[in-house]
mmCIF file of all heavy atoms in Angstrom:
data_model
loop_
_atom_site.group_PDB
_atom_site.id
_atom_site.type_symbol
_atom_site.label_atom_id
_atom_site.label_comp_id
_atom_site.label_asym_id
_atom_site.label_seq_id
_atom_site.Cartn_x
_atom_site.Cartn_y
_atom_site.Cartn_z
ATOM 1 N N MET D 1 53.693 -16.223 14.359
ATOM 2 C CA MET D 1 53.361 -16.162 15.763
ATOM 3 C C MET D 1 52.255 -15.163 16.031
ATOM 4 O O MET D 1 51.371 -15.429 16.797
ATOM 5 C CB MET D 1 54.623 -15.799 16.533
ATOM 6 C CG MET D 1 54.449 -15.731 18.009
ATOM 7 S SD MET D 1 54.539 -17.444 18.647
ATOM 8 C CE MET D 1 54.278 -17.133 20.352
ATOM 9 N N LYS D 2 52.324 -14.037 15.312
ATOM 10 C CA LYS D 2 51.293 -12.964 15.557
ATOM 11 C C LYS D 2 49.923 -13.494 15.050
ATOM 12 O O LYS D 2 48.927 -13.224 15.702
ATOM 13 C CB LYS D 2 51.700 -11.729 14.805
ATOM 14 C CG LYS D 2 50.823 -10.579 15.110
ATOM 15 C CD LYS D 2 51.295 -9.324 14.451
ATOM 16 C CE LYS D 2 50.375 -8.160 14.791
ATOM 17 N NZ LYS D 2 50.808 -6.916 14.152
ATOM 18 N N ASP D 3 49.910 -14.295 13.974
ATOM 19 C CA ASP D 3 48.627 -14.796 13.455
ATOM 20 C C ASP D 3 47.949 -15.792 14.425
ATOM 21 O O ASP D 3 46.761 -15.899 14.509
ATOM 22 C CB ASP D 3 48.847 -15.443 12.092
ATOM 23 C CG ASP D 3 49.135 -14.391 11.023
ATOM 24 O OD1 ASP D 3 48.707 -13.206 11.221
ATOM 25 O OD2 ASP D 3 49.718 -14.710 9.986
ATOM 26 N N GLN D 4 48.806 -16.511 15.163
ATOM 27 C CA GLN D 4 48.263 -17.523 16.076
ATOM 28 C C GLN D 4 47.593 -16.867 17.304
ATOM 29 O O GLN D 4 46.630 -17.368 17.818
ATOM 30 C CB GLN D 4 49.357 -18.426 16.551
ATOM 31 C CG GLN D 4 49.840 -19.366 15.444
ATOM 32 C CD GLN D 4 50.993 -20.187 15.924
ATOM 33 O OE1 GLN D 4 51.601 -19.970 16.944
ATOM 34 N NE2 GLN D 4 51.350 -21.248 15.128
ATOM 35 N N ASP D 5 48.087 -15.716 17.716
ATOM 36 C CA ASP D 5 47.534 -15.050 18.904
ATOM 37 C C ASP D 5 46.215 -14.392 18.605
ATOM 38 O O ASP D 5 45.283 -14.451 19.402
ATOM 39 C CB ASP D 5 48.519 -13.958 19.393
ATOM 40 C CG ASP D 5 49.797 -14.619 19.969
ATOM 41 O OD1 ASP D 5 49.728 -15.815 20.331
ATOM 42 O OD2 ASP D 5 50.808 -13.919 20.065
ATOM 43 N N ASN D 6 46.037 -13.729 17.412
ATOM 44 C CA ASN D 6 44.800 -13.083 17.077
ATOM 45 C C ASN D 6 44.269 -13.606 15.710
ATOM 46 O O ASN D 6 44.605 -13.066 14.700
ATOM 47 C CB ASN D 6 45.072 -11.540 16.924
ATOM 48 C CG ASN D 6 45.437 -10.928 18.240
ATOM 49 O OD1 ASN D 6 44.912 -11.313 19.307
ATOM 50 N ND2 ASN D 6 46.339 -9.981 18.233
ATOM 51 N N PRO D 7 43.463 -14.642 15.771
ATOM 52 C CA PRO D 7 42.952 -15.173 14.507
ATOM 53 C C PRO D 7 41.974 -14.194 13.907
ATOM 54 O O PRO D 7 41.323 -13.411 14.640
ATOM 55 C CB PRO D 7 42.236 -16.452 14.930
ATOM 56 C CG PRO D 7 41.944 -16.273 16.376
ATOM 57 C CD PRO D 7 43.008 -15.423 16.947
ATOM 58 N N PRO D 8 41.845 -14.132 12.620
ATOM 59 C CA PRO D 8 40.917 -13.159 12.009
ATOM 60 C C PRO D 8 39.489 -13.443 12.398
ATOM 61 O O PRO D 8 39.091 -14.615 12.541
ATOM 62 C CB PRO D 8 41.156 -13.362 10.506
ATOM 63 C CG PRO D 8 41.758 -14.707 10.332
ATOM 64 C CD PRO D 8 42.525 -14.941 11.621
ATOM 65 N N LYS D 9 38.681 -12.434 12.619
ATOM 66 C CA LYS D 9 37.302 -12.634 13.027
ATOM 67 C C LYS D 9 36.471 -13.147 11.870
ATOM 68 O O LYS D 9 36.571 -12.639 10.768
ATOM 69 C CB LYS D 9 36.752 -11.284 13.511
ATOM 70 C CG LYS D 9 37.292 -10.808 14.796
ATOM 71 C CD LYS D 9 36.610 -9.569 15.270
ATOM 72 C CE LYS D 9 37.244 -9.088 16.562
ATOM 73 N NZ LYS D 9 36.602 -7.901 17.065
ATOM 74 N N SER D 10 35.742 -14.221 12.116
ATOM 75 C CA SER D 10 34.934 -14.831 11.091
ATOM 76 C C SER D 10 33.602 -14.035 11.025
ATOM 77 O O SER D 10 33.164 -13.496 12.042
ATOM 78 C CB SER D 10 34.677 -16.304 11.348
ATOM 79 O OG SER D 10 33.996 -16.425 12.588
ATOM 80 N N GLN D 11 33.043 -14.024 9.876
ATOM 81 C CA GLN D 11 31.732 -13.316 9.676
ATOM 82 C C GLN D 11 30.624 -14.088 10.356
ATOM 83 O O GLN D 11 30.521 -15.340 10.174
ATOM 84 C CB GLN D 11 31.465 -13.187 8.183
ATOM 85 C CG GLN D 11 30.385 -12.162 7.818
ATOM 86 C CD GLN D 11 30.254 -11.991 6.336
ATOM 87 O OE1 GLN D 11 30.890 -12.682 5.562
ATOM 88 N NE2 GLN D 11 29.391 -11.090 5.975
ATOM 89 N N LYS D 12 29.846 -13.403 11.172
ATOM 90 C CA LYS D 12 28.800 -14.111 11.910
ATOM 91 C C LYS D 12 27.695 -14.619 11.032
ATOM 92 O O LYS D 12 27.244 -15.754 11.087
ATOM 93 C CB LYS D 12 28.198 -13.206 13.009
ATOM 94 C CG LYS D 12 28.778 -13.347 14.344
ATOM 95 C CD LYS D 12 27.947 -12.568 15.334
ATOM 96 C CE LYS D 12 28.393 -12.863 16.734
ATOM 97 N NZ LYS D 12 27.639 -12.138 17.759
ATOM 98 N N TYR D 13 27.215 -13.765 10.161
ATOM 99 C CA TYR D 13 26.104 -14.122 9.289
ATOM 100 C C TYR D 13 26.464 -13.901 7.833
ATOM 101 O O TYR D 13 27.354 -13.087 7.545
ATOM 102 C CB TYR D 13 24.842 -13.232 9.635
ATOM 103 C CG TYR D 13 24.469 -13.317 11.081
ATOM 104 C CD1 TYR D 13 24.781 -12.296 11.926
ATOM 105 C CD2 TYR D 13 23.855 -14.457 11.599
ATOM 106 C CE1 TYR D 13 24.430 -12.346 13.292
ATOM 107 C CE2 TYR D 13 23.531 -14.515 12.940
ATOM 108 C CZ TYR D 13 23.792 -13.481 13.768
ATOM 109 O OH TYR D 13 23.495 -13.573 15.080
ATOM 110 N N ALA D 14 25.726 -14.547 6.943
ATOM 111 C CA ALA D 14 25.972 -14.390 5.524
ATOM 112 C C ALA D 14 25.483 -12.960 5.110
ATOM 113 O O ALA D 14 24.648 -12.418 5.744
ATOM 114 C CB ALA D 14 25.254 -15.403 4.759
ATOM 115 N N ASP D 15 26.138 -12.482 4.095
ATOM 116 C CA ASP D 15 25.762 -11.066 3.634
ATOM 117 C C ASP D 15 24.428 -11.170 2.932
ATOM 118 O O ASP D 15 24.359 -11.645 1.776
ATOM 119 C CB ASP D 15 26.885 -10.555 2.721
ATOM 120 C CG ASP D 15 26.568 -9.140 2.349
ATOM 121 O OD1 ASP D 15 25.797 -8.447 3.027
ATOM 122 O OD2 ASP D 15 27.125 -8.689 1.356
ATOM 123 N N SER D 16 23.385 -10.834 3.628
ATOM 124 C CA SER D 16 22.028 -10.842 2.998
ATOM 125 C C SER D 16 21.457 -9.450 2.977
ATOM 126 O O SER D 16 20.302 -9.262 3.346
ATOM 127 C CB SER D 16 21.125 -11.816 3.857
ATOM 128 O OG SER D 16 20.994 -11.289 5.132
ATOM 129 N N SER D 17 22.259 -8.557 2.558
ATOM 130 C CA SER D 17 21.773 -7.174 2.514
ATOM 131 C C SER D 17 20.788 -7.025 1.365
ATOM 132 O O SER D 17 20.941 -7.570 0.323
ATOM 133 C CB SER D 17 22.967 -6.197 2.323
ATOM 134 O OG SER D 17 23.606 -6.465 1.110
ATOM 135 N N ILE D 18 19.688 -6.253 1.667
ATOM 136 C CA ILE D 18 18.676 -6.015 0.660
ATOM 137 C C ILE D 18 18.516 -4.496 0.604
ATOM 138 O O ILE D 18 18.636 -3.789 1.629
ATOM 139 C CB ILE D 18 17.363 -6.687 1.056
ATOM 140 C CG1 ILE D 18 16.286 -6.480 0.007
ATOM 141 C CG2 ILE D 18 16.874 -6.214 2.379
ATOM 142 C CD1 ILE D 18 15.070 -7.362 0.202
ATOM 143 N N SER D 19 18.346 -4.017 -0.586
ATOM 144 C CA SER D 19 18.276 -2.535 -0.749
ATOM 145 C C SER D 19 16.974 -1.993 -0.123
ATOM 146 O O SER D 19 16.026 -2.712 0.080
ATOM 147 C CB SER D 19 18.311 -2.183 -2.197
ATOM 148 O OG SER D 19 17.107 -2.593 -2.872
ATOM 149 N N ASP D 20 17.026 -0.764 0.276
ATOM 150 C CA ASP D 20 15.847 -0.119 0.900
ATOM 151 C C ASP D 20 14.690 -0.081 -0.033
ATOM 152 O O ASP D 20 13.553 -0.362 0.380
ATOM 153 C CB ASP D 20 16.246 1.254 1.375
ATOM 154 C CG ASP D 20 15.219 1.902 2.267
ATOM 155 O OD1 ASP D 20 14.782 1.176 3.181
ATOM 156 O OD2 ASP D 20 14.835 3.048 1.972
ATOM 157 N N LYS D 21 14.959 0.179 -1.332
ATOM 158 C CA LYS D 21 13.908 0.177 -2.293
ATOM 159 C C LYS D 21 13.235 -1.128 -2.441
ATOM 160 O O LYS D 21 11.975 -1.252 -2.515
ATOM 161 C CB LYS D 21 14.472 0.684 -3.611
ATOM 162 C CG LYS D 21 13.446 0.818 -4.755
ATOM 163 C CD LYS D 21 14.165 1.306 -6.023
ATOM 164 C CE LYS D 21 13.128 1.452 -7.128
ATOM 165 N NZ LYS D 21 13.769 1.837 -8.423
ATOM 166 N N ALA D 22 14.021 -2.215 -2.504
ATOM 167 C CA ALA D 22 13.460 -3.552 -2.647
ATOM 168 C C ALA D 22 12.694 -3.925 -1.403
ATOM 169 O O ALA D 22 11.641 -4.580 -1.482
ATOM 170 C CB ALA D 22 14.579 -4.573 -2.907
ATOM 171 N N PHE D 23 13.161 -3.554 -0.237
ATOM 172 C CA PHE D 23 12.443 -3.842 1.000
ATOM 173 C C PHE D 23 11.060 -3.159 1.048
ATOM 174 O O PHE D 23 10.102 -3.790 1.400
ATOM 175 C CB PHE D 23 13.321 -3.405 2.187
ATOM 176 C CG PHE D 23 12.711 -3.709 3.496
ATOM 177 C CD1 PHE D 23 12.636 -5.057 3.980
ATOM 178 C CD2 PHE D 23 12.162 -2.690 4.313
ATOM 179 C CE1 PHE D 23 12.032 -5.320 5.205
ATOM 180 C CE2 PHE D 23 11.558 -3.022 5.501
ATOM 181 C CZ PHE D 23 11.511 -4.292 5.988
ATOM 182 N N LYS D 24 11.060 -1.868 0.688
ATOM 183 C CA LYS D 24 9.777 -1.138 0.699
ATOM 184 C C LYS D 24 8.827 -1.742 -0.370
ATOM 185 O O LYS D 24 7.631 -1.806 -0.151
ATOM 186 C CB LYS D 24 10.069 0.334 0.413
ATOM 187 C CG LYS D 24 10.677 1.031 1.556
ATOM 188 C CD LYS D 24 10.984 2.494 1.310
ATOM 189 C CE LYS D 24 11.600 3.159 2.510
ATOM 190 N NZ LYS D 24 11.947 4.534 2.221
ATOM 191 N N ARG D 25 9.365 -2.138 -1.501
ATOM 192 C CA ARG D 25 8.529 -2.767 -2.543
ATOM 193 C C ARG D 25 7.939 -4.076 -2.009
ATOM 194 O O ARG D 25 6.782 -4.380 -2.264
ATOM 195 C CB ARG D 25 9.353 -3.015 -3.784
ATOM 196 C CG ARG D 25 8.534 -3.496 -4.963
ATOM 197 C CD ARG D 25 9.445 -3.653 -6.189
ATOM 198 N NE ARG D 25 9.961 -2.413 -6.630
ATOM 199 C CZ ARG D 25 11.083 -2.231 -7.304
ATOM 200 N NH1 ARG D 25 11.843 -3.268 -7.593
ATOM 201 N NH2 ARG D 25 11.473 -1.043 -7.651
ATOM 202 N N MET D 26 8.762 -4.847 -1.314
ATOM 203 C CA MET D 26 8.280 -6.094 -0.732
ATOM 204 C C MET D 26 7.203 -5.928 0.295
ATOM 205 O O MET D 26 6.130 -6.582 0.268
ATOM 206 C CB MET D 26 9.450 -6.833 -0.071
ATOM 207 C CG MET D 26 9.095 -8.162 0.593
ATOM 208 S SD MET D 26 10.507 -8.897 1.402
ATOM 209 C CE MET D 26 10.771 -7.780 2.777
ATOM 210 N N ILE D 27 7.318 -4.879 1.154
ATOM 211 C CA ILE D 27 6.329 -4.572 2.150
ATOM 212 C C ILE D 27 5.028 -4.138 1.451
ATOM 213 O O ILE D 27 3.916 -4.495 1.844
ATOM 214 C CB ILE D 27 6.830 -3.490 3.086
ATOM 215 C CG1 ILE D 27 8.021 -3.998 3.916
ATOM 216 C CG2 ILE D 27 5.726 -2.991 4.038
ATOM 217 C CD1 ILE D 27 7.720 -5.096 4.851
ATOM 218 N N PHE D 28 5.142 -3.300 0.407
ATOM 219 C CA PHE D 28 3.973 -2.832 -0.314
ATOM 220 C C PHE D 28 3.215 -3.969 -0.905
ATOM 221 O O PHE D 28 1.977 -4.040 -0.768
ATOM 222 C CB PHE D 28 4.403 -1.829 -1.416
ATOM 223 C CG PHE D 28 3.306 -1.453 -2.337
ATOM 224 C CD1 PHE D 28 2.348 -0.564 -1.975
ATOM 225 C CD2 PHE D 28 3.247 -1.993 -3.614
ATOM 226 C CE1 PHE D 28 1.280 -0.265 -2.817
ATOM 227 C CE2 PHE D 28 2.231 -1.651 -4.500
ATOM 228 C CZ PHE D 28 1.247 -0.800 -4.106
ATOM 229 N N TRP D 29 3.890 -4.880 -1.609
ATOM 230 C CA TRP D 29 3.176 -5.977 -2.295
ATOM 231 C C TRP D 29 2.593 -6.996 -1.272
ATOM 232 O O TRP D 29 1.531 -7.534 -1.518
ATOM 233 C CB TRP D 29 4.076 -6.680 -3.329
ATOM 234 C CG TRP D 29 4.173 -5.880 -4.516
ATOM 235 C CD1 TRP D 29 5.316 -5.235 -5.018
ATOM 236 C CD2 TRP D 29 3.152 -5.563 -5.505
ATOM 237 N NE1 TRP D 29 5.010 -4.565 -6.115
ATOM 238 C CE2 TRP D 29 3.713 -4.737 -6.474
ATOM 239 C CE3 TRP D 29 1.816 -5.900 -5.584
ATOM 240 C CZ2 TRP D 29 2.976 -4.282 -7.567
ATOM 241 C CZ3 TRP D 29 1.047 -5.447 -6.654
ATOM 242 C CH2 TRP D 29 1.635 -4.633 -7.583
ATOM 243 N N PHE D 30 3.273 -7.154 -0.159
ATOM 244 C CA PHE D 30 2.725 -8.057 0.925
ATOM 245 C C PHE D 30 1.428 -7.422 1.473
ATOM 246 O O PHE D 30 0.463 -8.144 1.633
ATOM 247 C CB PHE D 30 3.786 -8.141 2.050
ATOM 248 C CG PHE D 30 3.279 -8.982 3.206
ATOM 249 C CD1 PHE D 30 3.178 -10.361 3.031
ATOM 250 C CD2 PHE D 30 2.931 -8.437 4.376
ATOM 251 C CE1 PHE D 30 2.738 -11.127 4.107
ATOM 252 C CE2 PHE D 30 2.451 -9.139 5.438
ATOM 253 C CZ PHE D 30 2.367 -10.550 5.292
ATOM 254 N N ALA D 31 1.397 -6.111 1.644
ATOM 255 C CA ALA D 31 0.171 -5.436 2.076
ATOM 256 C C ALA D 31 -0.925 -5.530 1.045
ATOM 257 O O ALA D 31 -2.097 -5.768 1.427
ATOM 258 C CB ALA D 31 0.467 -4.010 2.413
ATOM 259 N N VAL D 32 -0.600 -5.411 -0.238
ATOM 260 C CA VAL D 32 -1.590 -5.534 -1.292
ATOM 261 C C VAL D 32 -2.205 -6.940 -1.243
ATOM 262 O O VAL D 32 -3.453 -7.141 -1.323
ATOM 263 C CB VAL D 32 -1.003 -5.223 -2.631
ATOM 264 C CG1 VAL D 32 -1.898 -5.575 -3.785
ATOM 265 C CG2 VAL D 32 -0.687 -3.741 -2.733
ATOM 266 N N TYR D 33 -1.376 -7.988 -1.183
ATOM 267 C CA TYR D 33 -1.889 -9.357 -1.203
ATOM 268 C C TYR D 33 -2.706 -9.635 0.097
ATOM 269 O O TYR D 33 -3.721 -10.302 -0.049
ATOM 270 C CB TYR D 33 -0.708 -10.334 -1.309
ATOM 271 C CG TYR D 33 -0.080 -10.387 -2.687
ATOM 272 C CD1 TYR D 33 1.303 -10.429 -2.811
ATOM 273 C CD2 TYR D 33 -0.860 -10.392 -3.825
ATOM 274 C CE1 TYR D 33 1.892 -10.465 -4.092
ATOM 275 C CE2 TYR D 33 -0.296 -10.467 -5.104
ATOM 276 C CZ TYR D 33 1.072 -10.457 -5.186
ATOM 277 O OH TYR D 33 1.632 -10.499 -6.448
ATOM 278 N N CYS D 34 -2.283 -9.167 1.192
ATOM 279 C CA CYS D 34 -3.041 -9.356 2.432
ATOM 280 C C CYS D 34 -4.362 -8.631 2.334
ATOM 281 O O CYS D 34 -5.398 -9.207 2.752
ATOM 282 C CB CYS D 34 -2.287 -8.819 3.622
ATOM 283 S SG CYS D 34 -0.913 -9.856 4.115
ATOM 284 N N GLY D 35 -4.429 -7.425 1.779
ATOM 285 C CA GLY D 35 -5.665 -6.712 1.629
ATOM 286 C C GLY D 35 -6.600 -7.416 0.674
ATOM 287 O O GLY D 35 -7.795 -7.542 0.976
ATOM 288 N N LEU D 36 -6.141 -7.918 -0.428
ATOM 289 C CA LEU D 36 -6.944 -8.648 -1.359
ATOM 290 C C LEU D 36 -7.479 -9.962 -0.725
ATOM 291 O O LEU D 36 -8.662 -10.322 -0.950
ATOM 292 C CB LEU D 36 -6.167 -8.964 -2.645
ATOM 293 C CG LEU D 36 -5.864 -7.789 -3.549
ATOM 294 C CD1 LEU D 36 -5.038 -8.207 -4.675
ATOM 295 C CD2 LEU D 36 -7.153 -7.218 -4.078
ATOM 296 N N PHE D 37 -6.660 -10.594 0.026
ATOM 297 C CA PHE D 37 -7.105 -11.845 0.738
ATOM 298 C C PHE D 37 -8.250 -11.508 1.729
ATOM 299 O O PHE D 37 -9.254 -12.210 1.756
ATOM 300 C CB PHE D 37 -5.954 -12.456 1.460
ATOM 301 C CG PHE D 37 -6.321 -13.714 2.231
ATOM 302 C CD1 PHE D 37 -6.522 -14.908 1.598
ATOM 303 C CD2 PHE D 37 -6.481 -13.635 3.626
ATOM 304 C CE1 PHE D 37 -6.903 -16.028 2.296
ATOM 305 C CE2 PHE D 37 -6.853 -14.732 4.327
ATOM 306 C CZ PHE D 37 -7.054 -15.979 3.677
ATOM 307 N N CYS D 38 -8.059 -10.429 2.478
ATOM 308 C CA CYS D 38 -9.100 -10.080 3.450
ATOM 309 C C CYS D 38 -10.420 -9.645 2.764
ATOM 310 O O CYS D 38 -11.500 -10.073 3.214
ATOM 311 C CB CYS D 38 -8.614 -8.918 4.312
ATOM 312 S SG CYS D 38 -7.256 -9.445 5.487
ATOM 313 N N ILE D 39 -10.297 -8.958 1.659
ATOM 314 C CA ILE D 39 -11.476 -8.587 0.913
ATOM 315 C C ILE D 39 -12.183 -9.777 0.387
ATOM 316 O O ILE D 39 -13.411 -9.928 0.424
ATOM 317 C CB ILE D 39 -11.131 -7.573 -0.201
ATOM 318 C CG1 ILE D 39 -10.742 -6.228 0.354
ATOM 319 C CG2 ILE D 39 -12.279 -7.388 -1.193
ATOM 320 C CD1 ILE D 39 -10.152 -5.277 -0.612
ATOM 321 N N GLY D 40 -11.453 -10.777 -0.119
ATOM 322 C CA GLY D 40 -12.003 -12.007 -0.647
ATOM 323 C C GLY D 40 -12.722 -12.778 0.462
ATOM 324 O O GLY D 40 -13.789 -13.311 0.223
ATOM 325 N N VAL D 41 -12.092 -12.854 1.626
ATOM 326 C CA VAL D 41 -12.742 -13.594 2.706
ATOM 327 C C VAL D 41 -14.050 -12.899 3.139
ATOM 328 O O VAL D 41 -15.075 -13.539 3.379
ATOM 329 C CB VAL D 41 -11.779 -13.693 3.917
ATOM 330 C CG1 VAL D 41 -12.490 -14.165 5.195
ATOM 331 C CG2 VAL D 41 -10.623 -14.595 3.585
ATOM 332 N N ILE D 42 -14.037 -11.585 3.221
ATOM 333 C CA ILE D 42 -15.239 -10.835 3.573
ATOM 334 C C ILE D 42 -16.379 -11.058 2.544
ATOM 335 O O ILE D 42 -17.526 -11.288 2.917
ATOM 336 C CB ILE D 42 -14.929 -9.337 3.748
ATOM 337 C CG1 ILE D 42 -14.077 -9.116 4.989
ATOM 338 C CG2 ILE D 42 -16.206 -8.507 3.783
ATOM 339 C CD1 ILE D 42 -13.400 -7.754 5.095
ATOM 340 N N LEU D 43 -16.006 -11.028 1.277
ATOM 341 C CA LEU D 43 -17.020 -11.217 0.189
ATOM 342 C C LEU D 43 -17.593 -12.655 0.247
ATOM 343 O O LEU D 43 -18.773 -12.829 0.124
ATOM 344 C CB LEU D 43 -16.368 -10.979 -1.159
ATOM 345 C CG LEU D 43 -16.070 -9.517 -1.488
ATOM 346 C CD1 LEU D 43 -15.357 -9.402 -2.843
ATOM 347 C CD2 LEU D 43 -17.327 -8.685 -1.526
ATOM 348 N N VAL D 44 -16.727 -13.594 0.518
ATOM 349 C CA VAL D 44 -17.229 -15.027 0.602
ATOM 350 C C VAL D 44 -18.133 -15.191 1.795
ATOM 351 O O VAL D 44 -19.153 -15.844 1.689
ATOM 352 C CB VAL D 44 -16.050 -15.980 0.622
ATOM 353 C CG1 VAL D 44 -16.478 -17.379 0.989
ATOM 354 C CG2 VAL D 44 -15.355 -15.980 -0.743
ATOM 355 N N ILE D 45 -17.760 -14.626 2.932
ATOM 356 C CA ILE D 45 -18.626 -14.782 4.088
ATOM 357 C C ILE D 45 -19.921 -14.083 3.897
ATOM 358 O O ILE D 45 -20.997 -14.592 4.207
ATOM 359 C CB ILE D 45 -17.905 -14.208 5.363
ATOM 360 C CG1 ILE D 45 -16.702 -15.113 5.727
ATOM 361 C CG2 ILE D 45 -18.831 -14.043 6.501
ATOM 362 C CD1 ILE D 45 -15.807 -14.588 6.795
ATOM 363 N N ASN D 46 -19.943 -12.882 3.303
ATOM 364 C CA ASN D 46 -21.181 -12.188 3.056
ATOM 365 C C ASN D 46 -22.020 -12.858 2.016
ATOM 366 O O ASN D 46 -23.250 -12.928 2.165
ATOM 367 C CB ASN D 46 -20.888 -10.689 2.554
ATOM 368 C CG ASN D 46 -20.461 -9.845 3.707
ATOM 369 O OD1 ASN D 46 -20.777 -10.095 4.900
ATOM 370 N ND2 ASN D 46 -19.746 -8.787 3.390
ATOM 371 N N ALA D 47 -21.422 -13.461 1.009
ATOM 372 C CA ALA D 47 -22.208 -14.227 0.012
ATOM 373 C C ALA D 47 -22.844 -15.484 0.636
ATOM 374 O O ALA D 47 -23.919 -15.827 0.368
ATOM 375 C CB ALA D 47 -21.268 -14.625 -1.167
ATOM 376 N N ASP D 48 -22.086 -16.102 1.521
ATOM 377 C CA ASP D 48 -22.572 -17.333 2.202
ATOM 378 C C ASP D 48 -23.730 -16.928 3.091
ATOM 379 O O ASP D 48 -24.775 -17.627 3.130
ATOM 380 C CB ASP D 48 -21.451 -17.962 2.992
ATOM 381 C CG ASP D 48 -21.858 -19.308 3.522
ATOM 382 O OD1 ASP D 48 -22.551 -20.045 2.766
ATOM 383 O OD2 ASP D 48 -21.508 -19.638 4.661
ATOM 384 N N ASN D 49 -23.624 -15.801 3.847
ATOM 385 C CA ASN D 49 -24.698 -15.378 4.732
ATOM 386 C C ASN D 49 -25.950 -14.964 3.909
ATOM 387 O O ASN D 49 -27.085 -15.208 4.340
ATOM 388 C CB ASN D 49 -24.251 -14.182 5.605
ATOM 389 C CG ASN D 49 -23.338 -14.649 6.680
ATOM 390 O OD1 ASN D 49 -23.330 -15.837 7.059
ATOM 391 N ND2 ASN D 49 -22.540 -13.730 7.212
ATOM 392 N N ALA D 50 -25.755 -14.328 2.786
ATOM 393 C CA ALA D 50 -26.909 -13.884 1.977
ATOM 394 C C ALA D 50 -27.566 -15.156 1.389
ATOM 395 O O ALA D 50 -28.795 -15.174 1.249
ATOM 396 C CB ALA D 50 -26.409 -13.001 0.868
ATOM 397 N N TYR D 51 -26.831 -16.176 1.059
ATOM 398 C CA TYR D 51 -27.417 -17.409 0.517
ATOM 399 C C TYR D 51 -28.242 -18.133 1.586
ATOM 400 O O TYR D 51 -29.223 -18.775 1.267
ATOM 401 C CB TYR D 51 -26.284 -18.294 -0.027
ATOM 402 C CG TYR D 51 -26.784 -19.606 -0.607
ATOM 403 C CD1 TYR D 51 -27.456 -19.675 -1.826
ATOM 404 C CD2 TYR D 51 -26.531 -20.829 0.060
ATOM 405 C CE1 TYR D 51 -27.902 -20.873 -2.374
ATOM 406 C CE2 TYR D 51 -26.964 -21.982 -0.420
ATOM 407 C CZ TYR D 51 -27.635 -22.052 -1.647
ATOM 408 O OH TYR D 51 -28.064 -23.231 -2.139
ATOM 409 N N LEU D 52 -27.724 -18.160 2.776
ATOM 410 C CA LEU D 52 -28.393 -18.921 3.834
ATOM 411 C C LEU D 52 -29.680 -18.220 4.320
ATOM 412 O O LEU D 52 -30.598 -18.882 4.810
ATOM 413 C CB LEU D 52 -27.415 -19.053 5.054
ATOM 414 C CG LEU D 52 -26.268 -20.001 4.802
ATOM 415 C CD1 LEU D 52 -25.341 -20.032 6.021
ATOM 416 C CD2 LEU D 52 -26.716 -21.398 4.516
ATOM 417 N N HIS D 53 -29.828 -16.899 4.151
ATOM 418 C CA HIS D 53 -31.076 -16.242 4.673
ATOM 419 C C HIS D 53 -32.108 -16.156 3.646
ATOM 420 O O HIS D 53 -32.147 -16.143 2.591
ATOM 421 C CB HIS D 53 -30.695 -14.823 5.130
ATOM 422 C CG HIS D 53 -29.895 -14.915 6.421
ATOM 423 N ND1 HIS D 53 -29.235 -13.803 6.920
ATOM 424 C CD2 HIS D 53 -29.651 -15.903 7.305
ATOM 425 C CE1 HIS D 53 -28.634 -14.133 8.011
ATOM 426 N NE2 HIS D 53 -28.874 -15.441 8.274
#
């Protein structure tokens, strides 16, 4: 009877805990890849402008 009145609370979300070290490493590598992408875009644009002039 007691179990029927108060059902156990179900977990809202799956346990997707990530360690702080792994999270910081992920942010670092994301920033590195974004930086390299931006540098590549700038180099390609400058090379294209130099070729056209």
Side-chain angles (χ1 to χ4, degrees):
M1 182 81 180
K2 187 177 182 181
D3 289 337
Q4 290 177 345
D5 293 339
N6 296 324
K9 291 184 179 180
S10 60
Q11 193 175 5
K12 264 190 172 180
Y13 305 105
D15 185 18
S16 61
S17 61
I18 183 170
S19 70
D20 191 48
K21 183 179 178 183
F23 181 74
K24 288 179 181 177
R25 188 178 294 154
M26 179 183 67
I27 296 295
F28 170 75
W29 283 112
F30 179 74
V32 168
Y33 288 135
C34 286
L36 289 175
F37 177 78
C38 291
I39 290 171
V41 168
I42 290 168
L43 289 175
V44 167
I45 290 173
N46 285 335
D48 190 40
N49 286 338
Y51 178 73
L52 291 175
H53 290 166

